[in-house]
Amino acid sequence: ADALNKSGNVDAAIEVLQTLNRNFPELPQSFATLGDTLRRIERNQEANDAYHKALALIPENSPALWLIYYNRAITYHQMDQWPEAEADFRKALSFQPDQPQVLNYLGYSLVERAEKLDEALDMIERAVTAQPDNGAIVDSLDWVYFQLGRYEDAVEPMELAATLEPVDPILLDHLGDVYWAVGREIEATFQWNRALSFDPEE
């Protein structure tokens, strides 16, 4: 299945994993791998079901528990089931309290929902401390500053994020927003045009 995935034959990989799960229904990792494969092609409900089965089988002391909860949380989030997503993100953090990807995803989601912004800021600051060269995580930090109205504080991390991810249209869009908020309107317009030049999704 892994080889098929890497060669781009995703449908065949899914078929192999489904066969594996039918023949060996006691293996949590194969259900988790099926969930990962389905999630990547946005078949989120099916991925969520696979993660449920993996979690029902996996030992309570397994080091993989946090990752399965995290991935299932992503599927809930993509299906607009936020209470379930937040619960799974927090469950993942109960196993790995300082995991930067989980901290960033949950923190950024809270910012986007304008909920628990102080907690979201703390989470994202911890994620940045763990991965200071990750442009997406640094972008989350400046964006929470932006949402809190701390526009001047947002400028430096936003510029750093755009340096780390120079062709990411979302980051460039955010940089334009930050520049506009602090009165740097010509630079804001330039960054928005740069963002559009990379053909972002609508």
Side-chain angles (χ1 to χ4, degrees), residues 44-144:
N44 288 298
Q45 183 60 66
E46 294 171 84
N48 187 282
D49 293 341
Y51 291 134
H52 270 288
K53 292 174 182 175
L55 288 168
L57 293 167
I58 197 166
E60 292 184 1
N61 61 348
S62 171
L65 269 172
W66 77 268
L67 183 58
I68 300 174
Y69 276 110
Y70 171 60
N71 287 332
R72 190 175 70 171
I74 293 172
T75 65
Y76 277 132
H77 185 243
Q78 293 299 316
M79 294 188 293
D80 293 323
Q81 295 177 238
W82 175 247
E84 293 84 356
E86 183 178 7
D88 270 4
F89 284 130
R90 293 188 183 278
K91 188 70 174 178
L93 287 174
S94 74
F95 294 104
Q96 293 281 341
D98 297 314
Q99 215 295 321
Q101 297 299 322
V102 185
L103 288 169
N104 181 62
Y105 203 124
L106 177 54
Y108 188 86
S109 298
L110 290 171
V111 172
E112 288 290 284
R113 296 176 61 82
E115 296 177 4
K116 306 170 188 171
L117 292 179
D118 289 338
E119 183 185 19
L121 176 59
D122 177 69
M123 288 179 177
I124 295 169
E125 286 177 337
R126 287 160 57 198
V128 170
T129 299
Q131 292 189 353
D133 296 327
N134 186 314
I137 292 178
V138 176
D139 175 51
S140 297
L141 177 61
D142 68 69
W143 199 237
V144 71

